[in-house]
Amino acid sequence: MGYWPPVAEDENADPRDRGYAKWLVDTEKVVLSTTLTEAPWERTRVVNAPAADVVAELKATGEGDILVNSSASVIKALLSADLLDRLYLMIFPEIAGGGQRLFDDGLPTSKWTLTHQETGELGEIAMVYDRVR
């Protein structure tokens, strides 16, 4: 069932977490996977196809926003296909020492404008960039 669905109903949960959980539970979701055969949540479908193809189809046939939540591999594929209109980035004052790079060499040149910036109590910085087309 996952972490978030029970949080949506938990009266003791932080109101921000509860609000996010309710939104997430109620939102139509597409899970990109080469191994799953069954959807892990309600209002979810599993798709085994390239991320760029799936997002291009969603943009052409759907309405509303498409959110990719914390998946570097999907975001990199969409950056390569120039299918992203907005980036939400966070920088934390901590060095992990490794991990995937989000902006690999070889990405097509693109231009972005900073549209929002906030600094948290621990020095973390949240930024929103919009694609200039």
Side-chain angles (χ1 to χ4, degrees), residues 75-76 79 87 89 100-107 112:
I75 293 168
K76 284 196 256 188
L79 281 168
L87 285 170
L89 301 174
Q100 275 191 21
R101 290 179 54 194
L102 182 57
F103 303 112
D104 285 333
D105 292 340
L107 285 175
W112 298 81

Side-chain angles (χ1 to χ4, degrees), residues 31-38 46-49:
V31 174
L32 300 172
S33 177
T34 58
T35 58
L36 289 177
T37 56
E38 201 171 291
V46 176
V47 178
N48 181 358

